[in-house]
Amino acid sequence: MRFVFLFFMTFVTMYATPIADNQKNRQVQIMDEFDSEFAISDKNNKEEIDPLSGYNRAMTNFNDCFYLNILEPTAKVYRHIAPKPLRTGIANVFDNLMYPLRLINNLLQFKLKNSFLETQRFLLNSTIGLAGLIDVANDNFHIKQHKEDFGQTLGFYGVGSGFHIVWPFLGPSNIRDTLGMVADGIMSPMTYIENRGYNYFDNDTESFGAKIGETINYSSLHVGEYEELKKDAIDLYPFLKNIYEQRRKKEISE
């Protein structure tokens, strides 16, 4: 339709009797309005590229089922066994152990002040905080944690997110953040890599068990939050997808 209109206007311009200047200006105005309207319509009708939407929907449903029927019930049992101060202390220990990743990514993004603060946190919590059990850096010295990962670092250097992908058990992600997760996993001292000097654990079994324990412990501190988050979702997959992408965009921009 647009091309027909443009052809008609070209024909009129070339062959019609010369018209007054105000009529010519009116034609230009009509063309501008038409182009503007067409651009808006085209933008609104443009579909977001999501080549894995079918798989992502299925995996979102799988993760939803897994969380509600396995992980959360397990976390609830654990919550009744372990008192909250202990579970909070364990969460603090795991956070403290991930200091090297936060430091590296803050440095890669030239956030030197944050790198210094992260080092302060690690030293305080590892000593006064009893190997990280107590977050004295935050509670007593008001030094906040500055979380950065390789996905954010890639975003800092202008790497686009790519299309969305949902991983089993891990949840929403995208191509950039998936590459970041791989890098995080390789660099993490919690991941066992043979003959590496800074492994926290002696084998894959210990490393995997620690990750499961961390996940259950974390979930026990956030029981009910997932249900509260999704209660107003009409369609779960795009709802969680939009939340994830907006959150990551904000984290990268900060």
Side-chain angles (χ1 to χ4, degrees):
M1 182 65 185
R2 186 188 184 195
F3 295 111
V4 174
F5 183 85
L6 290 174
F7 177 80
F8 173 75
M9 293 303 297
T10 303
F11 179 83
V12 170
T13 303
M14 292 178 62
Y15 297 105
T17 304
I19 56 178
D21 289 341
N22 62 335
Q23 290 176 312
K24 290 181 180 179
N25 292 335
R26 178 56 182 165
Q27 284 186 354
V28 172
Q29 182 181 355
I30 293 173
M31 286 289 292
D32 290 342
E33 291 175 353
F34 181 85
D35 286 340
S36 176
E37 182 178 354
F38 183 88
I40 294 172
S41 177
D42 183 63
K43 181 178 179 181
N44 292 336
N45 292 331
K46 184 179 180 181
E47 295 184 3
E48 184 178 340
I49 298 175
D50 191 2
L52 299 179
S53 60
Y55 159 82
N56 286 337
R57 284 181 177 277
M59 193 52 64
T60 296
N61 292 333
F62 169 80
N63 286 339
D64 180 70
C65 182
F66 172 79
Y67 180 82
L68 294 177
N69 295 288
I70 298 178
L71 180 56
E72 188 174 61
T74 303
K76 286 180 178 179
V77 172
Y78 170 71
R79 184 176 63 171
H80 287 296
I81 297 173
K84 186 174 182 180
L86 175 60
R87 290 181 284 120
T88 301
I90 292 173
N92 290 339
V93 169
F94 279 115
D95 276 343
N96 198 52
L97 291 177
M98 298 307 292
Y99 155 75
L101 277 184
R102 293 194 297 273
L103 175 65
I104 291 171
N105 284 290
N106 273 291
L107 287 173
L108 287 174
Q109 297 177 47
F110 305 105
K111 296 179 179 179
L112 302 183
K113 180 180 178 180
N114 291 352
S115 301
F116 176 70
L117 292 175
E118 278 293 326
T119 301
Q120 281 188 307
R121 281 182 52 83
F122 178 73
L123 293 175
L124 287 168
N125 290 341
S126 298
T127 53
I128 303 174
L130 305 177
L133 274 171
I134 306 171
D135 190 358
V136 295
N138 179 61
D139 298 341
N140 299 95
F141 296 92
H142 308 293
I143 304 174
K144 302 294 183 180
Q145 189 179 86
H146 298 86
K147 288 187 176 182
E148 298 290 340
D149 55 52
F150 276 104
Q152 290 170 263
T153 297
L154 290 173
F156 173 82
Y157 285 101
V159 177
S161 62
F163 54 80
H164 194 76
I165 182 169
V166 180
W167 291 106
F169 309 115
L170 301 178
S173 186
N174 53 47
I175 296 300
R176 180 198 59 222
D177 290 345
T178 296
L179 294 175
M181 282 193 296
V182 172
D184 285 331
I186 294 174
M187 294 296 296
S188 172
M190 289 185 62
T191 303
Y192 174 76
I193 296 180
E194 189 175 359
N195 298 323
R196 188 173 66 176
Y198 63 89
N199 291 325
Y200 286 152
F201 305 103
D202 296 328
N203 52 61
D204 289 325
T205 302
E206 290 182 6
S207 178
F208 185 65
K211 188 61 182 176
I212 292 176
E214 179 190 14
T215 301
I216 294 173
N217 188 77
Y218 176 86
S219 299
S220 73
L221 294 168
H222 300 274
V223 169
E225 292 182 8
Y226 174 67
E227 291 90 334
E228 183 67 22
L229 175 69
K230 73 167 193 170
K231 68 179 182 179
D232 296 324
I234 299 175
D235 191 346
L236 186 60
Y237 165 58
F239 177 76
L240 295 179
K241 172 187 174 183
N242 289 336
I243 288 177
Y244 175 82
E245 296 293 348
Q246 290 300 318
R247 177 175 63 84
R248 291 298 286 174
K249 183 176 180 181
K250 180 181 178 182
E251 289 173 347
I252 291 170
S253 67
E254 290 177 346

